[in-house]
Each structure stands twice: as C-alpha cells, then as structure tokens.
C-alpha cells in the first residue's frame, strides 16, 4: 500500500505542483494574529481538581490562488501557549498546510499536505482520555486524490491518505495509518444522489520495548444525499467493516503474540441547514478511529451546532458533542456543551467568548470541568 501511496502522490504532484508554481506571482496573502485567555477549573480532568489560566498567541499567514482550473491555498500558524500553574505544559506549536486542486474538463486532481506539532492533551478528549501527559506529537499527512465525471449523472473517485504521528515520549505509540478509498456517485435527479464507498486501510503502531501492532481494516458503505431545499441537505450512509489485528507485547525477554478479528456496522446521518440568520448542523455516526494506544477503536458519536446572527456584527450559538468509545483497554464516554458569543468590534478586530462544560466517564470514574474563554483576533 505504501508503494501505491507514493506512486499516486508523485503522479498527482507532477500535475499539480507545476501548475500551481507557474502562477506563483499571483498569490494573495492574508495574515492576522489571535490571542485568548482561558480559565480551566479541572486542567487534568481528574478527581483531584486543579485549575489554571491559559494564555495563548497565534500568528497566522495564508496564501491563496484561484483560477477556473487551479485552486491552491497555504496556511501557516504558530500557537504559543503558557499556563499559570503548570509551566511544564507550556508549548510553541507550529502547523502548516498546503491544499491544491487542478481541474480539467472531466477530472479534478487534488493533493493536500499537512504538518503540525501539538500537545497530545489537545486531542485527549477523543484520542485516549489521558490529560496528564505533556507529550508532544508531530503529525504529517499526505492526501492525493482524483475524481472523474464518467457521465452527466455518474462520477468515480480515488483517494489515498497517509498519516504519521510521532511522540517525544514513550507514553504513546508512534503510528502511521494508510488508506485507499474508491467511491462512486450517481445523481438520480436534482435532489437525490446515491453513493458507494469502499476503503482499505492499514494501521501500524509501536512503542519500543513495550509493544507493536498492525491492524488491517476494510469497510464498504452505501448512502444517499438528499437536497431538501437550497438551504438544507441530508446525508446518510450505512455499511460494514472487518478488522484483523496482530499484536506483539514484550514481557522482558519474552514475547506475547495475539491475533484478533472483529467486524461490525458503520452508519452516518448528517443534516445541514444554512439561511440568512440561522445555521445549524447535526451529525450522528458509528465509525472506526485509530488511537495513539495502538488500537483501531469503535466509536458512537453525536454532534450539534447552532449559530444565530443577531446583527451584522454579532452572533451567538451553541456547540454540543457526545461520544462513546469502545476499547479493549480504555473504554470511555465524553460529552461537551459550549455556548458562545462573537462580536465584530471593527471589520478587522473580532471578539470570541465561550463557556464549556465537559464530562468524562472512564474506568476510574466520572469527572467534570468548566472552562471559560475570551479571545481577540486581528486581521491585517
């Protein structure tokens, strides 16, 4: 699979990068700087609650280019975080992404790159539930793809994904995940579209001298897209997956080898609504997610977002999420509700405030936290 990923990446790059580079003189830059102050009354999400203030500054730079056939955008960010009570978690996290597409009469080629450094605890809610580690994770992703319009009503697509995560401590498993996806869409009429997707993936994870694992997992889904109105769309899909995991656990000089096969169902329902004053979306899913503990975990999840534009300068809304993750070593349930308010002080200066209530249920018990945020962003 790695050879296939490299071949498609090189092929896509040979088409996209020269096309984008030839228009280098027309890139349009935008930049800004964001800052925020947060108060968290349970920083480690534990029974022994400990609070802290978090201060962050985020310079941002974007470069964009757009023509009828070429679209390219680069985004670079650098997040500097400081904590009043836990200086060991202070960090400087750079990130960079470059997304490209090139259109011909029938085909659209895409090639996306990404690089990021983050604290592992930033993704702990959905990854492992471990909030007390100051490990840093380096993530690299390459995602080439192509879609082709076979007929007026039928299109096919081929997409590849390669993601690598490396940790600076041995608390988590360095891992890589590679996937190949083949999709088909058939447009029945102006409102109805049917879809079929098949994905083959390989996940590898390793902690030196502790354990290593390889998981092959495949899934097939069928779905529909229904455009109820210009403002509202509904998507739904259902399918099955199979997985085969091979794990080696190092116990001193000995090795314990286990093989595990699994299968189950997949499903997604997504609704989106966008009109002049109100925007909302709902997503319900049952899917697979590789974690930094070496497992491909099953997760049921629900999310809802709602935003109402109060005036030309302000808006308010709420973000809600819930997930239940099945795991052989770390089953957990997480929920979050976050009302927010946003206000444009000037066309360039924006205020963003929110309150977040989180609840976490795992083997060690249930914990809660409250987080308050106030942020400003200035666009130059």
């Amino acid at each position: 699979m790695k050879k296939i990923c490299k071949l498609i990446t090189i092929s896509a790059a040979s088409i996209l990068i020269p096309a984008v580079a030839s228009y280098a003189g027309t890139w349009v830059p935008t930049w800004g700087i964001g800052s925020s102050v947060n108060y968290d009354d349970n920083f480690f999400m534990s029974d022994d609650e400990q609070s802290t203030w978090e201060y962050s500054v985020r310079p941002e730079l974007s470069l964009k280019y757009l023509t009828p056939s070429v679209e390219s955008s680069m985004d670079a960010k650098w997040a500097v975080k400081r904590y009043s009570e836990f200086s060991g978690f202070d960090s400087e996290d750079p990130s960079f992404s470059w997304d490209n597409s090139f259109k011909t009469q029938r085909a659209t080629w895409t090639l996306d790159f990404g690089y990021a450094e983050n604290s592992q605890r930033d993704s702990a809610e959905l990854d492992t539930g471990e909030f007390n580690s100051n490990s840093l994770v380096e993530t690299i992703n390459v995602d080439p793809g192509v879609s082709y319009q076979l007929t007026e009503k039928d299109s096919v697509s081929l997409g590849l994904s390669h993601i690598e995560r490396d940790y600076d401590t041995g608390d988590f498993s360095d891992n890589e995940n590679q996937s190949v996806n083949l999709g088909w869409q058939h447009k029945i009429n102006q409102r109805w579209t049917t879809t079929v997707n098949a994905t083959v993936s390989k996940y590898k994870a390793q902690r030196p001298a502790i354990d290593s694992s390889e998981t092959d997992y495949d899934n097939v889904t069928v779905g529909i897209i229904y455009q109820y109105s210009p403002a509202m769309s509904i998507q739904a899909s259902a399918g099955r997956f199979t997985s085969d995991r091979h794990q080696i656990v190092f116990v001193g000089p000995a090795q314990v080898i286990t093989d595990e096969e699994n299968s189950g169902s997949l499903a997604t329902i997504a609704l989106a609504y966008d009109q002049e004053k109100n925007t909302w979306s709902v997503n319900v899913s049952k899917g697979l997610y590789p974690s930094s503990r070496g497992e491909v975990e099953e997760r049921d999840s629900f999310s809802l977002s709602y935003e109402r534009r109060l005036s030309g300068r302000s808006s308010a809304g709420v973000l809600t999420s819930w997930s239940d993750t099945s795991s052989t070593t770390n089953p957990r349930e997480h929920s979050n509700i976050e009302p927010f308010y946003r206000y444009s002080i000037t066309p360039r200066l924006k205020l963003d405030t929110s309150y977040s209530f989180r609840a976490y249920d795992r083997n060690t018990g249930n914990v809660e936290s409250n987080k308050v945020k106030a942020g400003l962003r200035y666009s130059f």
Side-chain angles (χ1 to χ4, degrees):
M1 185 179 296
K2 183 177 289 187
K3 291 182 179 179
I4 296 175
C5 287
K6 289 182 177 179
L7 179 62
I8 299 296
T9 300
I10 292 172
S11 300
S14 65
I15 296 174
L16 287 169
I17 293 179
V20 173
S22 65
Y23 298 103
T26 62
W27 288 80
V28 178
T30 59
W31 56 89
I33 183 168
S35 62
S36 64
V37 178
N38 303 338
Y39 176 77
D40 191 338
D41 70 357
N42 192 355
F43 184 67
F44 296 115
M45 291 296 288
S46 65
D47 293 327
D48 180 20
E49 297 183 4
Q50 300 181 67
S51 62
T52 187
W53 289 90
E54 175 191 331
Y55 310 95
S56 67
V57 178
R58 300 176 304 280
E60 304 171 1
L61 171 64
S62 297
L63 297 171
K64 293 186 178 181
Y65 180 80
L66 179 65
T67 73
S69 59
V70 176
E71 183 174 350
S72 184
S73 64
M74 293 184 182
D75 292 285
K77 301 178 183 179
W78 187 42
V80 180
K81 300 178 182 178
R82 295 292 183 264
Y83 299 92
S84 63
E85 305 299 326
F86 307 105
S87 59
F89 288 81
D90 293 349
S91 63
E92 298 82 31
D93 303 329
S95 63
F96 172 79
S97 63
W98 187 18
D99 300 337
N100 305 278
S101 68
F102 176 66
K103 296 180 180 180
T104 62
Q105 186 175 1
R106 288 196 171 189
T108 299
W109 294 81
T110 60
L111 182 58
D112 302 337
F113 300 95
Y115 173 85
E117 295 178 15
N118 296 99
S119 171
Q120 186 277 334
R121 73 181 311 278
D122 291 343
S123 58
E125 292 180 359
L126 295 178
D127 183 23
T128 62
E130 301 294 332
F131 293 85
N132 58 357
S133 173
N134 62 352
S135 295
L136 298 178
V137 55
E138 182 181 65
T139 304
I140 299 173
N141 69 276
V142 182
D143 303 298
V146 59
S147 62
Y148 187 81
Q149 194 72 37
L150 290 172
T151 67
E152 184 179 351
K153 293 186 175 182
D154 294 277
S155 63
V156 294
S157 62
L158 174 65
L160 291 92
S161 175
H162 178 85
I163 302 175
E164 293 184 18
R165 296 184 180 90
D166 295 313
Y167 296 83
D168 67 346
T169 70
D171 298 337
F172 305 96
S173 302
D174 294 342
N175 60 80
E176 63 179 49
N177 192 72
Q178 299 172 342
S179 299
V180 178
N181 174 266
L182 181 63
W184 168 76
Q185 283 194 354
H186 174 71
K187 190 171 184 179
I188 300 174
N189 53 43
Q190 292 298 320
R191 290 196 171 188
W192 291 92
T193 301
T194 59
T195 65
V196 177
N197 283 279
T199 304
V200 178
S201 304
K202 178 181 285 291
Y203 173 67
K204 297 181 181 180
Q206 181 177 16
R207 283 187 293 174
I210 299 177
D211 58 34
S212 67
S213 65
E214 289 189 11
T215 305
D216 296 311
Y217 59 105
D218 315 319
N219 67 72
V220 176
T221 61
V222 296
I224 59 168
I225 302 172
Y226 178 53
Q227 193 68 41
Y228 179 77
S229 68
M232 183 176 179
S233 64
I234 303 171
Q235 298 186 39
S237 66
R240 296 284 296 176
F241 77 87
T242 60
S243 67
D244 184 4
R245 185 188 186 198
H246 178 78
Q247 183 181 28
I248 301 175
V249 179
F250 303 99
V251 184
Q255 296 181 2
V256 178
I257 301 175
T258 60
D259 288 289
E260 178 184 0
E261 294 183 358
N262 193 18
S263 63
S265 59
L266 303 170
T268 299
I269 300 176
L271 293 84
Y273 181 81
D274 188 0
Q275 64 165 191
E276 184 179 354
K277 288 192 174 182
N278 296 288
T279 300
W280 58 265
S281 64
V282 178
N283 188 287
V284 182
S285 67
K286 179 181 181 64
L288 299 178
Y289 300 86
S291 83
S292 60
R293 290 295 192 191
E295 287 187 76
V296 177
E297 301 173 330
E298 295 181 55
R299 180 178 302 147
D300 300 327
S301 62
F302 166 84
S303 65
L304 181 149
S305 66
Y306 171 74
E307 183 173 5
R308 179 174 177 81
R309 285 169 279 280
L310 304 175
S311 68
R313 301 176 68 176
S314 65
S315 65
V318 62
L319 305 174
T320 303
S321 62
W322 170 87
S323 66
D324 186 7
T325 303
S326 300
S327 168
T328 56
T329 59
N330 187 27
R332 56 201 182 275
E333 183 178 349
H334 168 260
S335 58
N336 179 75
I337 182 168
E338 182 178 338
F340 62 85
Y341 175 75
R342 296 165 182 164
Y343 183 75
S344 296
I345 301 173
T346 71
R348 294 181 179 272
L349 182 63
K350 301 183 184 300
L351 171 69
D352 187 355
T353 63
S354 65
Y355 161 75
S356 176
F357 172 79
R358 294 182 296 172
Y360 218 95
D361 189 4
R362 49 198 166 194
N363 291 332
T364 55
N366 183 270
V367 294
E368 299 175 349
S369 79
N370 299 274
K371 189 173 183 179
V372 180
K373 170 187 174 181
L376 290 171
R377 188 183 187 282
Y378 187 82
S379 301
F380 293 94

Coordinates of all heavy atoms in Angstrom, one line a residue, residues 26-33 58-65 72-78 95-99 377 379-380:
T26 N 1.0 35.4 -8.5 CA -0.3 35.9 -8.3 C -0.9 35.5 -7.0 O -2.1 35.6 -6.7 CB -1.3 35.5 -9.4 OG1 -1.4 34.1 -9.4 CG2 -0.8 36.0 -10.8
W27 N -0.1 34.9 -6.1 CA -0.6 34.5 -4.8 C -1.0 35.8 -4.0 O -0.4 36.8 -4.0 CB 0.5 33.8 -4.0 CG 0.8 32.4 -4.5 CD1 1.6 32.1 -5.6 CD2 0.3 31.2 -4.0 NE1 1.6 30.8 -5.8 CE2 0.8 30.2 -4.8 CE3 -0.5 30.9 -2.9 CZ2 0.6 28.8 -4.6 CZ3 -0.8 29.5 -2.7 CH2 -0.2 28.5 -3.5
V28 N -2.2 35.6 -3.3 CA -2.7 36.7 -2.5 C -2.5 36.4 -1.0 O -3.1 35.4 -0.5 CB -4.2 37.0 -2.8 CG1 -4.8 38.1 -1.9 CG2 -4.4 37.3 -4.3
P29 N -1.8 37.2 -0.3 CA -1.5 36.9 1.2 C -2.6 37.6 2.1 O -3.1 38.6 1.8 CB -0.2 37.5 1.4 CG -0.1 38.7 0.5 CD -0.9 38.3 -0.7
T30 N -2.9 36.9 3.1 CA -3.7 37.5 4.2 C -3.0 37.0 5.5 O -2.6 35.9 5.6 CB -5.2 37.0 4.2 OG1 -5.2 35.6 4.3 CG2 -5.9 37.5 3.0
W31 N -3.0 37.9 6.5 CA -2.5 37.4 7.8 C -3.2 38.1 8.9 O -3.9 39.1 8.8 CB -1.0 37.8 7.8 CG -0.6 39.2 7.6 CD1 -0.6 40.2 8.5 CD2 -0.3 39.8 6.3 NE1 -0.2 41.4 7.9 CE2 -0.1 41.2 6.6 CE3 -0.2 39.3 5.0 CZ2 0.2 42.1 5.5 CZ3 0.1 40.2 4.0 CH2 0.3 41.6 4.3
G32 N -3.0 37.5 10.1 CA -3.6 38.0 11.3 C -3.0 37.5 12.5 O -2.0 36.7 12.5
I33 N -3.5 37.9 13.7 CA -2.9 37.4 15.0 C -4.1 37.2 15.9 O -5.0 38.0 16.0 CB -1.9 38.3 15.5 CG1 -1.3 37.7 16.8 CG2 -2.4 39.7 15.8 CD1 0.0 38.4 17.3
R58 N -1.4 33.5 18.6 CA -1.4 32.6 17.4 C -1.2 33.5 16.2 O -2.2 33.9 15.6 CB -2.6 31.8 17.3 CG -2.9 30.8 18.4 CD -4.2 30.1 18.3 NE -5.3 31.0 18.1 CZ -5.9 31.7 19.2 NH1 -5.5 31.5 20.4 NH2 -6.9 32.5 19.0
P59 N 0.0 33.8 15.7 CA 0.2 34.5 14.4 C -0.2 33.5 13.3 O 0.1 32.3 13.4 CB 1.7 34.8 14.4 CG 2.2 34.6 15.8 CD 1.3 33.6 16.5
E60 N -0.9 34.1 12.3 CA -1.4 33.2 11.2 C -1.0 33.9 9.8 O -1.2 35.2 9.7 CB -2.9 33.0 11.3 CG -3.3 32.4 12.6 CD -4.8 32.4 12.8 OE1 -5.5 32.9 11.8 OE2 -5.3 32.0 13.8
L61 N -0.7 33.1 8.8 CA -0.4 33.6 7.5 C -1.1 32.7 6.5 O -0.9 31.5 6.6 CB 1.1 33.7 7.2 CG 1.5 34.1 5.8 CD1 1.0 35.5 5.4 CD2 3.0 34.0 5.6
S62 N -1.8 33.3 5.5 CA -2.4 32.5 4.5 C -2.1 33.0 3.1 O -2.0 34.2 2.9 CB -3.9 32.5 4.6 OG -4.3 31.8 5.8
L63 N -1.8 32.1 2.2 CA -1.6 32.5 0.8 C -2.6 31.7 -0.1 O -2.7 30.5 0.1 CB -0.2 32.1 0.3 CG 1.0 32.8 1.1 CD1 2.3 32.2 0.7 CD2 1.0 34.3 0.7
K64 N -3.3 32.4 -1.0 CA -4.3 31.8 -1.8 C -4.2 32.1 -3.2 O -3.9 33.3 -3.6 CB -5.7 32.1 -1.3 CG -6.0 31.5 0.1 CD -7.4 31.8 0.6 CE -7.7 31.1 1.9 NZ -9.1 31.3 2.4
Y65 N -4.5 31.2 -4.1 CA -4.6 31.4 -5.5 C -5.8 30.7 -6.1 O -6.0 29.6 -5.8 CB -3.3 31.0 -6.2 CG -3.3 31.2 -7.7 CD1 -3.1 32.5 -8.2 CD2 -3.7 30.3 -8.6 CE1 -3.1 32.8 -9.5 CE2 -3.7 30.5 -9.9 CZ -3.5 31.8 -10.4 OH -3.6 32.1 -11.7
S72 N -5.3 26.8 -5.0 CA -4.3 26.4 -4.1 C -4.3 27.4 -2.9 O -4.5 28.6 -3.0 CB -2.9 26.5 -4.8 OG -1.9 26.0 -3.9
S73 N -4.1 26.8 -1.7 CA -4.0 27.6 -0.5 C -3.0 27.1 0.5 O -2.9 25.9 0.6 CB -5.4 27.7 0.2 OG -5.8 26.4 0.6
M74 N -2.2 28.0 1.0 CA -1.2 27.6 2.1 C -1.6 28.4 3.4 O -2.0 29.5 3.3 CB 0.2 28.1 1.7 CG 0.8 27.3 0.5 SD 2.5 27.9 0.2 CE 2.9 26.9 -1.2
D75 N -1.5 27.6 4.5 CA -1.8 28.2 5.8 C -0.7 27.8 6.7 O -0.4 26.6 6.9 CB -3.1 27.7 6.3 CG -4.3 28.2 5.5 OD1 -4.7 29.4 5.6 OD2 -4.9 27.4 4.7
A76 N -0.2 28.8 7.4 CA 0.9 28.6 8.4 C 0.5 29.3 9.7 O 0.0 30.4 9.7 CB 2.2 29.2 7.9
K77 N 0.6 28.6 10.8 CA 0.2 29.1 12.2 C 1.3 28.7 13.2 O 2.0 27.7 13.0 CB -1.1 28.5 12.6 CG -2.3 28.8 11.7 CD -3.6 28.2 12.2 CE -4.7 28.4 11.2 NZ -6.0 27.8 11.6
W78 N 1.4 29.5 14.2 CA 2.3 29.2 15.3 C 1.6 29.6 16.6 O 1.4 30.8 16.9 CB 3.6 30.0 15.1 CG 4.6 29.7 16.1 CD1 5.0 28.4 16.6 CD2 5.5 30.6 16.8 NE1 6.0 28.5 17.5 CE2 6.3 29.8 17.7 CE3 5.6 32.0 16.8 CZ2 7.3 30.4 18.5 CZ3 6.6 32.6 17.6 CH2 7.4 31.8 18.5
S95 N 2.2 24.8 12.7 CA 1.5 24.0 11.8 C 1.5 24.6 10.4 O 1.6 25.8 10.3 CB 0.0 23.8 12.3 OG -0.7 25.0 12.3
F96 N 1.4 23.7 9.4 CA 1.5 24.2 8.0 C 0.6 23.3 7.2 O 0.6 22.0 7.4 CB 2.9 24.2 7.5 CG 3.0 24.4 6.0 CD1 2.9 25.7 5.5 CD2 3.2 23.4 5.1 CE1 3.0 26.0 4.2 CE2 3.2 23.6 3.8 CZ 3.2 24.9 3.3
S97 N -0.2 23.8 6.3 CA -1.0 23.0 5.3 C -0.9 23.6 4.0 O -0.8 24.9 3.8 CB -2.4 22.9 5.8 OG -3.1 24.1 5.8
W98 N -1.0 22.8 3.0 CA -1.0 23.2 1.6 C -2.0 22.3 0.8 O -1.7 21.1 0.6 CB 0.4 23.1 0.9 CG 0.5 23.7 -0.4 CD1 -0.3 24.6 -1.0 CD2 1.6 23.5 -1.4 NE1 0.1 24.9 -2.3 CE2 1.2 24.2 -2.6 CE3 2.7 22.7 -1.4 CZ2 2.0 24.2 -3.7 CZ3 3.5 22.7 -2.6 CH2 3.2 23.5 -3.7
D99 N -3.1 22.9 0.4 CA -4.1 22.2 -0.3 C -4.2 22.7 -1.8 O -4.2 23.9 -2.0 CB -5.5 22.4 0.4 CG -5.5 22.0 1.8 OD1 -4.7 21.1 2.2 OD2 -6.3 22.5 2.6
R377 N -9.1 38.5 17.8 CA -8.4 38.2 16.5 C -8.4 39.4 15.7 O -9.4 40.0 15.4 CB -8.9 37.0 15.7 CG -8.0 36.6 14.6 CD -8.6 35.5 13.7 NE -7.7 35.0 12.7 CZ -7.4 35.6 11.6 NH1 -8.1 36.8 11.3 NH2 -6.5 35.1 10.8
S379 N -7.2 41.0 12.0 CA -6.8 40.7 10.6 C -6.1 41.9 10.0 O -6.7 43.0 10.0 CB -8.0 40.3 9.7 OG -8.6 39.1 10.3
F380 N -4.9 41.8 9.5 CA -4.2 42.9 8.9 C -4.7 43.2 7.4 O -5.2 42.3 6.8 CB -2.7 42.6 8.9 CG -2.1 42.6 10.3 CD1 -2.0 41.4 11.0 CD2 -1.7 43.7 11.0 CE1 -1.5 41.3 12.2 CE2 -1.2 43.7 12.2 CZ -1.1 42.4 12.9

